[in-house]
Amino acid sequence: MKLYNSLTRSIEGFTPINPPSVSLYTCGMTVYDFAHIGHGRKYVGDDILRRTLSRFGYQVKHVQNVTDVGHLSSDADEGEDKMEKGAKKYGKTVWEVAQFYTDHFYESMDALRVLRPTIVCKATEHISDQIALISKLLEKGLAYDTPEAVYFDVTKFAGYAELFGRQKLEDKKAGVREAVVEGEHKKHAADFALWFKRVGRFADHAMHWDSPWEDGFPGWHIECSAMSMKYLGDSIDIHTGGIDHIPVHHPNEIAQSEGATGKPFVRVWLHYNFLRVDGKKMSKSLGNFYTIEDVVQKGVNPLALRYFYLTAHYRSELNFTWEALSAAGSALKELQGQVRTLRSQLQKRNALSDEKLEKIDAFRLRFDEALANDMNTPQALAVVWELLKSNITSQDKYDLILDFDEVLGLGLAEVKEAVVEAVPDDIQELLMKREALRKAKKYQESDDIRKELQQKGYEIEDRPEGATVKKI
Ligand code: AMP
Ligand code: ZN
């Protein structure tokens, strides 16, 4: 299998540290607001990765953090705390906010058939692990204590400039110090907080714990290093995040982890590109912030959203529009319909000729190749549609589709039989009236009836054997 490593910026052959085990850490949610369809893209991506690894015979141990601790709004340590902002907005305590949005997140992911991680770990339940890690960094001279925070000293970690970008680091040092009151004692503007103290604007910070350096709370994402090491070991195979994590979050995670252990932290850094809505960044102020519930409320199956995500490669930006979702919904319905038909045509299989076996294997191979090639899901979907059009038997198609769906996760094995509802008499009458008008070439009047039927919730389908209606 090949994966794009955003650290080396190249596609690399993937070999785990201890095959067949794979240690996978998927950076989790900051639970201060509702999970949205952009999050869905990242976590469905993780799900495809995990299912693909399992398909290729790996045993995946999947760990995910929940950032339920005070987490600053931006990487520059400025701005208001995200959790407190969420709490104020919704009139709850920070703990209630965290639990509420954690539940909401996992329920949203369930609706998208995202498998739950092997281990979900909350930052607030791992404070002592984070304190231990910070202590180690202090012992090694890679961190320093100040009146406002314990900082990581980026100049002491060889290779930080490479990770962060040499020029960017210079600019940061030379540039105006951001409006960082609490950054007053930083030795270098790029030094980042490992532990915040309750001083200055953090004096009333709601979540805080005892520590060897005064009561306070952990800096952003020291939790990822501490919990990744705790559950998966000092070195792991894959760590994932959204592309916004590449520039700052990950250099800092690498520096603080490798600084403490002296070992490589992560083999492959995998990052998902963003989902945009109508070509714009999703935000509440633009009114284009959608949750999974919003999708359901529009009468769309959440799995249509999952299908939509799969239509783009994870490293490309994906633009959400309701039209595009509707097209994905139609494709999913068509796929479900074909699975239903195939199921009704299943026969006992006779011994397969070599030629047929080769055809089946060729489809399986092409599907696997698409996934093995840095998770090319659009290509994998193309193989599905080609398979459906091919002339192999219904039984073989059905078996292959369900096999492929172990990775696609569209729930095709659970597709229900179509419910055939009787068409009410008045609708049937209108349909017959329209047929008669069409025969008489009275197209204007027949079109009026089509519209009337539409208003009553029925769409006419003209077929060679005669017109029928279906519920809209
Ligand atoms: P958050 O906790 O909100 O920072 O986000 C959790 C994860 O979702 C991070 O890995 C983000 O990079 C990712 N993410 C946030 N918004 C989007 C988006 N619009 N598209 C794709 N991934 C996103
Ligand atoms: Zn992380």
Side-chain angles (χ1 to χ4, degrees):
M1 183 176 193
K2 288 190 203 141
L3 291 172
Y4 181 82
N5 186 348
S6 51
L7 190 64
T8 58
R9 296 204 188 93
S10 59
I11 300 224
E12 296 172 355
F14 174 66
T15 28
I17 302 166
N18 292 312
S21 300
V22 170
S23 39
L24 171 67
Y25 187 97
T26 60
C27 211
M29 276 280 290
T30 311
V31 283
Y32 70 105
D33 209 336
F34 291 106
H36 53 62
I37 57 175
H39 293 123
R41 180 179 198 202
K42 193 261 174 190
Y43 295 102
V44 165
D46 285 335
D47 194 51
I48 297 288
L49 173 63
R50 171 172 165 181
R51 289 168 182 258
T52 300
L53 289 165
S54 301
R55 180 173 182 83
F56 294 157
Y58 295 115
Q59 285 153 16
V60 185
K61 188 168 177 191
H62 177 193
V63 174
Q64 185 166 81
N65 59 304
V66 173
T67 302
D68 58 346
V69 70
H71 191 297
L72 300 171
S73 302
S74 83
D75 292 342
D77 305 345
E78 71 209 8
E80 200 179 358
D81 177 89
K82 280 184 177 178
M83 291 283 299
E84 297 200 355
K85 208 153 118 184
K88 265 186 219 150
K89 192 154 89 186
Y90 299 109
K92 296 185 177 154
T93 70
V94 282
W95 300 93
E96 283 168 343
V97 168
Q99 193 53 52
F100 177 81
Y101 293 115
T102 305
D103 294 345
H104 176 266
F105 168 66
Y106 284 107
E107 281 156 20
S108 300
M109 294 309 115
D110 288 347
L112 292 171
R113 291 182 74 91
V114 170
L115 299 172
R116 295 229 180 173
T118 328
I119 294 173
V120 171
C121 38
K122 293 182 173 183
T124 51
E125 289 172 3
H126 294 78
I127 299 295
S128 59
D129 300 288
Q130 297 174 69
I131 289 179
L133 184 57
I134 300 167
S135 303
K136 209 163 174 183
L137 291 168
L138 278 162
E139 271 165 36
K140 290 198 158 193
L142 289 164
Y144 56 94
D145 194 5
T146 75
E148 75 260 5
V150 176
Y151 289 113
F152 186 89
D153 188 341
V154 299
T155 61
K156 295 275 168 60
F157 183 75
Y160 188 82
E162 259 63 48
L163 287 172
F164 192 76
R166 195 170 288 280
Q167 191 54 47
K168 249 174 51 191
L169 201 59
E170 283 305 311
D171 293 350
K172 188 152 182 144
K173 198 174 177 188
V176 187
R177 271 182 193 241
E178 297 100 8
V180 193
V181 183
E182 71 285 4
E184 197 178 339
H185 291 89
K186 272 188 187 183
K187 291 189 198 160
H188 186 292
D191 289 350
F192 54 91
L194 299 166
W195 187 264
F196 285 107
K197 302 185 180 178
R198 294 214 303 153
V199 292
R201 69 183 172 84
F202 296 140
D204 301 323
H205 206 265
M207 283 188 178
H208 54 100
W209 295 265
D210 251 358
S211 86
W213 327 280
E214 286 175 35
D215 161 290
F217 57 99
W220 56 277
H221 278 274
I222 184 78
E223 69 185 65
C224 273
S225 296
M227 297 195 290
S228 176
M229 287 183 205
K230 176 167 181 156
Y231 293 107
L232 297 169
D234 291 348
S235 301
I236 73 157
D237 293 310
I238 309 174
H239 184 122
T240 75
I243 47 165
D244 56 325
H245 283 189
I246 300 177
V248 182
H249 174 166
H250 290 139
N252 293 0
E253 273 186 24
I254 294 171
Q256 71 202 10
S257 307
E258 300 192 355
T261 66
K263 296 181 205 155
F265 181 42
V266 169
R267 279 218 165 163
V268 180
W269 289 91
L270 195 140
H271 289 98
Y272 303 95
N273 206 324
F274 261 45
L275 178 91
R276 289 165 73 86
V277 172
D278 293 323
K280 297 190 192 87
K281 188 173 179 217
M282 205 183 326
S283 84
K284 287 223 161 137
S285 55
L286 287 176
N288 65 358
F289 178 107
Y290 301 123
T291 61
I292 311 299
E293 286 94 324
D294 291 331
V295 167
V296 174
Q297 263 171 24
K298 290 234 177 189
V300 181
N301 180 349
L303 295 177
L305 186 59
R306 182 169 174 118
Y307 187 100
F308 172 66
Y309 296 140
L310 304 186
T311 59
H313 189 270
Y314 78 87
R315 283 196 284 126
S316 317
E317 202 169 83
L318 178 60
N319 187 32
F320 175 92
T321 60
W322 288 105
E323 292 73 37
L325 181 65
S326 161
S330 303
L332 178 64
K333 270 192 194 145
E334 173 66 23
L335 191 54
Q336 291 169 331
Q338 296 226 23
V339 166
R340 232 178 253 126
T341 311
L342 290 173
R343 194 155 56 199
S344 69
Q345 295 165 348
L346 299 186
Q347 320 117 340
K348 254 212 173 133
R349 192 190 278 115
N350 297 321
L352 288 172
S353 67
D354 285 352
E355 191 197 340
K356 279 193 179 147
L357 274 175
E358 262 174 39
K359 264 194 170 168
I360 294 168
D361 282 346
F363 279 117
R364 193 176 285 120
L365 192 70
R366 285 178 52 216
F367 182 81
D368 287 352
E369 272 173 0
L371 292 172
N373 183 15
D374 193 28
M375 292 197 289
N376 193 334
T377 51
Q379 190 63 42
L381 283 180
V383 176
V384 168
W385 290 108
E386 251 184 73
L387 163 71
L388 286 169
K389 281 197 211 115
S390 75
N391 60 1
I392 66 170
T393 68
S394 300
Q395 177 78 54
D396 294 322
K397 280 184 190 172
Y398 185 74
D399 291 349
L400 272 176
I401 292 280
L402 291 201
D403 175 43
F404 294 171
D405 198 45
E406 294 284 318
V407 174
L408 301 175
L410 296 168
L412 296 177
E414 288 147 44
V415 165
K416 302 247 172 10
E417 295 312 322
V419 184
V420 186
E421 273 181 50
V423 176
D425 287 348
D426 59 326
I427 302 292
Q428 194 64 39
E429 251 168 54
L430 279 169
L431 188 66
M432 280 160 60
K433 205 164 140 193
R434 174 179 173 270
E435 282 288 89
L437 288 166
R438 273 167 61 88
K439 279 201 185 116
K441 296 199 167 29
K442 294 186 175 167
Y443 296 119
Q444 184 59 49
E445 288 162 64
S446 91
D447 205 41
D448 290 343
I449 296 193
R450 187 178 60 77
K451 284 182 194 141
E452 192 180 337
L453 281 167
Q454 258 177 356
Q455 276 164 8
K456 292 183 186 256
Y458 287 85
E459 190 77 72
I460 293 180
E461 286 191 332
D462 285 310
R463 296 185 176 174
E465 65 273 19
T468 57
V469 281
K470 79 164 191 227
K471 255 194 161 158
I472 300 170

